Each structure stands twice: as structure tokens, then as C-alpha cells.
Amino acid sequence: TGSAPDRTRLTLRRSDLRILPKTVQQLTVEKLRSAILAGVFKPGERLIEVDLCEMLGVSRPSVREALRSLEAERLVSIIPNRGPQIPVLSWHNASEIYRVRMLLEGEVAALAAEHATPADHKAIAVALNAFAKADKQADPDGRLSSTAIFYDELIRLARNSIIEETLRGLYARITFLRSRSMSMPGRAANSHAEMKAILAAIEKRDPELARAAAIEHVRQAHAAAKVAYDSEGRQEPSAA
């Protein structure tokens, strides 16, 4: 008797046993990802596992698993006989990503304009308000996270799993590029105005206006990122 509750308790106890290592693993990935996006580790820099263990206060297996996860996100390259390092994203590849974003995010905004409700408009506005607050406080992490939430809302509203899958696959590199473009003087304020234009078009339920606003936003980010790349004097890697 009472077999169902017993099974439930057993499932919960087993889940509890798995929480701690998952939490440590996820935190390790998040800490390393944030450090890479913030520029703590430079493009081309090798990542020494022993040093990372000491910096993060975690075991070597946790570091190795985190590096594999970040390799899948294209934030780390694991090179035979050399080990993990920060990849160099050439301007050519960066520009290709921006061009893909123009196509996909334009479509996302157009679809969002078709599907969004007044409640959705408010959720998008919350992300924009968070962005404005972060910019006022000169909080680069807050700018990036609120921008991510803004686009998460648009992607959710688009209801297109293929576009979502493609953009999620580019997410880490988009965030890396976004952090570079946002570092340019005045770019954050302009970005906020451009995102407000996207929301205004969505509120009007005008798909083509929303598409145009989203494309213009990416176009301006593309230009700002080019200035950032040029100011860093980044060299193009070889075709190999």
C-alpha cells in the first residue's frame, strides 16, 4: 500500500542526489563563459587546466567538462597536442554572423509583430527598461543580459523552432560580438533607441516595419563592432 507516494519520495531523493554536481558544473560553465565574454582571456590565449582549477576552486574533471561545453558553444577551441584555447574570431566570420542575424532577426521581429499580445509588449518593455537602467549604471553585464532577455522574448513570440535553433547555436558568439560593439562610446544609447523602435513596430502589429527596425539594429551593431575590431588592431587569421 502507498506504493505511489513511496515511488515519488524515491524519485525526489534521487533527484536531490544529482543536484549538487549539476550545480557545480553549471556554475563552472557560467563563470568561464562570463570571463571569456568579458575579455578576461584574450583571443588565442591557451587555457591551462591547473590554473583554471585554482582560479575557480573546482576539480579538474569539472573544468574539463566545462571546457567541452564551451567548445560546443564555439567559445573554446580544443586543439590536439596544444589543449584548449580562446579562438580568434576573424572579422570575416564576425561579419558573416551579422549578415545571418539581419536575415533571421528581421524575420523574428516580423513574426513577433504578428503574434504579440499586450502582455507580451509589457514583457519586452521590461527588458528594455532593464537595459536602460544597466546603461545608466554603466553595467556591461546588465546590458548584455537584458538584451538577451529582449531577444528571448522575440524568439519566443516568433514560434519558429528552426530559427530559434539556429540563433541559439550562434548565441555565445553573438554575445561576444555584442560585448565588443557595446563597448563603443554612445553605442548602448543608440542600441536602446533601436530596440525601442522594434518594440514600437511590434506594438503597431506591423511586421514589415518590425523587420526593417530589426535589420537596422543589426546593421548599426555591425558597424560598431567593425570600429571595435579596428581599434583593437585585430589581425585576420590565416585561411587555415
Side-chain angles (χ1 to χ4, degrees), residues 7-228:
R7 283 199 300 271
T8 300
R9 285 195 293 271
L10 181 60
T11 300
L12 290 174
R13 285 199 296 272
R14 288 178 177 174
S15 296
D16 288 343
L17 290 174
R18 293 195 297 267
I19 286 174
L20 183 58
K22 282 189 175 181
T23 300
V24 170
Q25 182 59 45
Q26 188 59 38
L27 285 173
T28 304
V29 172
E30 290 174 359
K31 287 285 187 179
L32 274 177
R33 183 191 293 115
S34 295
I36 293 169
L37 294 176
V40 173
F41 304 105
K42 304 303 181 185
E45 181 176 348
R46 292 181 64 190
L47 300 174
I48 310 301
E49 288 184 4
V50 173
D51 294 343
L52 294 177
C53 289
E54 184 176 347
M55 292 166 59
L56 295 164
V58 297
S59 67
R60 200 157 186 171
S62 292
V63 167
R64 285 178 178 170
E65 286 301 316
L67 290 171
R68 290 191 189 100
S69 295
L70 294 172
E71 182 186 28
E73 296 180 20
R74 305 288 186 88
L75 285 178
V76 169
S77 295
I78 299 180
I79 301 173
N81 302 320
R82 283 186 56 84
Q85 68 179 48
I86 304 300
V88 177
L89 182 63
S90 71
W91 176 246
H92 175 75
N93 288 338
S95 188
E96 288 180 332
I97 290 171
Y98 278 110
R99 293 182 185 281
V100 170
R101 283 185 60 196
M102 286 182 198
L103 294 172
L104 297 185
E105 292 180 12
E107 181 66 9
V108 161
L111 291 170
E114 294 178 7
H115 299 147
T117 66
D120 295 322
H121 300 159
K122 290 180 181 178
I124 299 170
V126 167
L128 281 179
N129 289 338
F131 181 93
K133 181 179 179 181
D135 188 36
K136 185 175 181 180
Q137 296 175 344
D139 175 8
D141 289 339
R143 288 197 299 254
L144 289 175
S145 62
S146 57
T147 303
I149 293 170
F150 174 87
Y151 276 102
D152 282 343
E153 290 294 331
L154 298 192
I155 290 170
R156 176 181 64 82
L157 293 170
R159 304 176 189 172
N160 186 307
S161 61
I162 302 303
I163 291 178
E164 178 174 2
E165 180 181 344
T166 303
L167 286 173
R168 298 293 183 204
L170 294 172
Y171 178 79
R173 283 173 289 173
I174 288 172
T175 303
F176 174 83
L177 292 170
R178 190 172 282 146
S179 69
R180 296 301 179 270
S181 66
M182 289 284 187
S183 69
M184 294 293 96
R187 175 58 199 153
N190 291 338
S191 184
H192 182 250
E194 292 154 15
M195 288 189 289
K196 282 182 67 177
I198 296 171
L199 174 57
I202 291 172
E203 289 174 333
K204 291 178 181 177
R205 302 187 66 82
D206 187 331
E208 291 313 310
L209 184 61
R211 186 194 306 278
I215 290 173
E216 179 60 19
H217 175 52
V218 178
R219 183 178 289 116
Q220 293 299 327
H222 188 182
K226 181 64 166 67
V227 174

